[in-house]
Amino acid sequence: MELTRRSAIILGAGALFAAGLPKQGSAATSEELISAFTGGAEIGAGDIELTAPEIAENGNTVPIAVSSGSAAEILVLAMGNPTPNVATFKFGKLAGSRAASTRIRLAGTQDVVAIAKLDDGSFVQASSTVKVTIGGCGG
Amino acid sequence: MASDVKPRVKVPKQAAAGEVITIKTLISHKMESGQRKDKEGNAIPRSIINRFTCDFNGENVIEVTLEPAISTNPYFEFEAIVPEAGEFTFTWYDDDGSVYDTSKKITIG
Amino acid sequence: MKKLTGAILATLLTSTVVSADPVDDNLVLNEETPIVTRTAAPAHVADALDEVLSGWLFRGTETRAMQADDFDNPGMIFVEQAMENWETAEGTEGKSCSSCHNDIDSMAGVKPTYPKWDEKAGEVQTLQMQMNECRTERMGAEAWGYDKTPAINMEAALSSVSRGMPINVAIDGPAQSAWELGKEMYYTRTGQLELSCANCHEESYGMMIRADHLSQGQINGFPVYRLKNTKLNGSHSRFKGCIRDTRAETYNPGSPEFIALELYVASRGNGLSVEGPSIRN
């Protein structure tokens, strides 16, 4: 394709537009992840709890927990990370509860979201804002 | 990334039949996210544990899909029902194809 | 001009009056080992501090909880690796640490007294220096690099079997001149930022430095699993980083300056329990 002035301007504008998108993670990607998980179904509020600190001691290792009464599967997303996907928990027949704890990496202050697929096929979500700070002398 | 990858699990030695117990698991793994760059500015390729499963006497307890946002030395805590005496098996799957596993027996009493 | 920079810094530190006191919490490891995280300041520092406080008290809720259980504490993975090393023969003599020292549990009481004067070597030695002496002179093995993985893991293992015991380093006798050098370093302002250890850790502990909660800079918790780099860190490596962050020429792990500084800083915590491997930011 010949690089005419017109196409150069369009290319340039496209690049600027992409660069100007909000840095809060690639919104399209988390949308894609969510719709892949829910099949496009509506997400309500309800039987899902997300526990995360208000302020993370360090973004490298942030303890979180998810808990539900009847979730078959729980998807966890970090909406502000370069790639929002964090983990998916799938509870088996011998799961003692629909709950799990882990430690995650957060690139900066952002919302952590947990979406649960309940036994009855419905979807619910909870979210928590975690502040990730820069500490000390940078050391 | 098969060097120094060591799994550890914490499972009670004994439980009552049908009791719900807490299990903790940890595996020493760098979880190279793919986001870091080396001194020359080249991206260090992703190399993580991408899946973890826990089974009891062949029946599944939990399955976790891990992404690069899981911290170094992945840690999981969850609960399991112990219907009878038997063995828990824990398996971690590495991007590079390695599989790490460990198991723990539990008695009823 | 130099004085001005220091004064400006001091004002910055003190004027952000987000003072967050250390928490009122108790540390009991594995529900059985109580750890002394606050106690009366040792005599030699009693004019500057009333109480000495472990860094544990300055960390957030989740971090403190992580350290209270040996399974949750990722530092213990490295302790386990070292304990395997303890049993592994290495070097020309075909010996392992356990060949002479038997069970690693019997090494309880060793960590709390280090760094200490070694009569035969005629110098103050840190625990890693002593390990390397054993390796080179008795095992016929190569010395470990200072603060490198096998050394720091072993220091953590030796520390772990002494948890709960009070730090008790000698500051007099043949160790005194090293102690004095360490003390001088502690109180000397250096670098572009003209800061001494004391400016932050004695005069400003409890305050916030950006979003970090400044501690007294005690080293009873070393080696430390830092959340920031998800690995064990030695005190010399930490000193190196801190001094670099004041934009001063820094020293290397294992250097005479840091041996002296480690002795002095350890002595400021005499009475606090050995806590390592601890978890900090």
Side-chain angles (χ1 to χ4, degrees):
Chain A
M1 170 194 148
E2 212 189 308
L3 195 66
T4 61
R5 237 189 312 197
R6 179 176 292 175
S7 38
I9 291 170
I10 292 170
L11 277 174
L16 273 176
F17 175 68
L21 280 174
K23 279 293 182 177
Q24 274 294 306
S26 178
T29 321
S30 51
E31 265 172 30
E32 284 165 10
L33 289 165
I34 294 172
S35 61
F37 185 68
T38 63
E42 231 181 81
I43 309 175
D47 186 17
I48 176 71
E49 206 181 299
L50 169 64
T51 311
E54 203 189 307
I55 304 178
E57 179 94 65
N58 188 290
N60 235 348
T61 311
V62 184
I64 62 156
V66 291
S67 169
S68 165
S70 63
E73 237 180 289
I74 303 178
L75 169 69
V76 179
L77 300 169
M79 303 304 271
N81 272 1
T83 52
N85 211 343
V86 177
T88 307
F89 298 92
K90 206 160 158 187
F91 300 102
K93 205 162 146 242
L94 291 183
S97 62
R98 316 302 176 90
S101 309
T102 186
R103 298 169 186 160
I104 70 174
R105 296 169 170 155
L106 295 178
T109 296
Q110 61 185 283
D111 288 336
V112 178
V113 172
I115 304 175
K117 178 178 174 182
L118 303 181
D119 278 339
D120 65 9
S122 64
F123 293 88
V124 289
Q125 83 171 27
S127 89
S128 191
T129 308
V130 182
K131 295 196 185 87
V132 177
T133 58
I134 298 177
C137 343
Chain B
M1 226 263 76
S3 60
D4 298 333
V5 181
K6 212 183 139 101
R8 303 163 83 215
V9 297
K10 188 171 178 184
V11 180
K13 290 196 174 60
Q14 202 178 74
E19 194 183 332
V20 169
I21 59 160
T22 301
I23 294 179
K24 295 185 183 185
T25 71
L26 190 56
I27 186 166
S28 58
H29 192 288
K30 211 163 158 208
M31 297 293 281
E32 191 62 67
S33 65
Q35 296 288 337
R36 297 199 309 155
K37 293 199 165 61
D38 63 21
K39 287 196 177 84
E40 282 87 53
N42 305 312
I44 303 171
R46 163 186 152 149
S47 184
I48 67 168
I49 300 280
N50 59 51
R51 192 163 154 249
F52 164 76
T53 59
C54 170
D55 296 302
F56 181 74
N57 288 350
E59 199 80 66
N60 182 249
V61 175
I62 193 172
E63 188 184 325
V64 188
T65 310
L66 291 79
E67 303 290 338
I70 295 291
S71 296
T72 302
N73 305 329
Y75 169 89
F76 294 116
E77 183 182 327
F78 51 91
E79 291 184 319
I81 303 169
V82 187
E84 66 214 358
E87 196 176 37
F88 283 98
T89 51
F90 306 89
T91 317
W92 292 260
Y93 300 83
D94 196 316
D95 274 351
D96 71 6
S98 310
V99 178
Y100 316 101
D101 59 51
T102 190
S103 55
K104 268 285 194 303
K105 290 194 168 66
I106 190 167
T107 58
I108 299 293
Chain C
M1 187 56 212
K2 271 194 203 167
K3 260 194 205 148
L4 200 56
T5 325
I8 289 171
L9 246 315
T11 324
L12 272 174
L13 280 175
T14 50
S15 64
T16 38
V17 190
V18 186
S19 177
D21 292 321
V23 295
D24 190 9
D25 194 1
N26 286 313
L27 177 57
V28 179
L29 299 176
N30 307 311
E31 296 175 0
E32 60 178 10
T33 310
I35 299 289
V36 174
T37 54
R38 64 196 315 160
T39 189
H44 70 87
V45 81
D47 54 345
L49 298 170
D50 288 329
E51 253 193 329
V52 285
L53 305 162
S54 162
W56 182 79
L57 293 168
F58 296 82
R59 304 273 55 91
T61 316
E62 298 81 11
T63 310
R64 297 198 310 277
M66 226 187 265
Q67 195 186 320
D69 181 288
D70 272 0
F71 191 90
D72 289 355
N73 183 342
M76 292 304 288
I77 308 173
F78 305 97
V79 166
E80 266 181 32
Q81 287 176 5
M83 289 194 174
E84 273 175 30
N85 235 343
W86 181 263
E87 308 284 340
T88 309
E90 229 187 309
T92 58
E93 307 304 302
K95 287 186 183 164
S96 66
C97 313
S98 59
S99 306
C100 294
H101 290 293
N102 301 310
D103 214 28
I104 198 169
D105 286 332
S106 70
M107 301 297 280
V110 172
K111 175 71 155 100
T113 58
Y114 271 85
K116 64 153 65 155
W117 177 263
D118 186 301
E119 193 59 53
K120 203 166 135 235
E123 58 177 359
V124 169
Q125 285 190 340
T126 64
L127 194 47
Q128 286 184 39
M129 290 166 74
Q130 175 64 69
M131 286 180 216
N132 277 335
E133 190 189 284
C134 277
R135 287 180 61 80
T136 54
E137 292 177 23
R138 292 182 262 285
M139 287 167 69
E142 269 179 43
W144 282 329
Y146 210 96
D147 273 0
K148 294 285 188 265
T149 302
I152 200 65
N153 288 0
M154 191 58 79
E155 188 176 337
L158 289 169
S159 176
S160 72
V161 300
S162 288
R163 284 180 296 177
M165 301 179 73
I167 302 273
N168 185 19
V169 301
I171 67 174
D172 53 8
Q176 189 169 350
S177 56
W179 184 83
E180 303 275 6
L181 170 62
K183 182 172 177 180
E184 198 187 310
M185 284 181 69
Y186 194 87
Y187 285 99
T188 305
R189 288 177 181 269
T190 57
Q192 273 192 338
L193 296 186
E194 287 267 339
L195 290 172
S196 71
C197 315
N199 291 142
C200 286
H201 293 296
E202 186 176 283
E203 295 163 28
S204 314
Y205 74 86
M207 295 188 205
M208 301 302 286
I209 181 160
R210 290 203 226 172
D212 221 351
H213 197 183
L214 257 184
S215 72
Q216 278 187 352
Q218 299 288 356
I219 59 173
N220 63 308
F222 273 80
V224 171
Y225 182 88
R226 291 194 70 184
L227 298 177
K228 183 189 144 89
N229 59 18
T230 59
K231 65 184 180 98
L232 286 178
N233 296 259
S235 57
H236 291 204
S237 298
R238 192 63 180 104
F239 293 156
K240 179 175 177 180
C242 263
I243 294 176
R244 178 205 61 213
D245 292 339
T246 61
R247 307 196 194 149
E249 289 278 359
T250 188
Y251 304 95
N252 285 319
S255 62
E257 289 85 1
F258 281 170
I259 296 168
L261 189 58
E262 186 186 336
L263 173 59
Y264 177 69
V265 179
S267 78
R268 286 174 72 92
N270 274 346
L272 291 174
S273 295
V274 170
E275 228 179 275
S278 63
I279 304 180
R280 305 284 189 259
N281 187 352

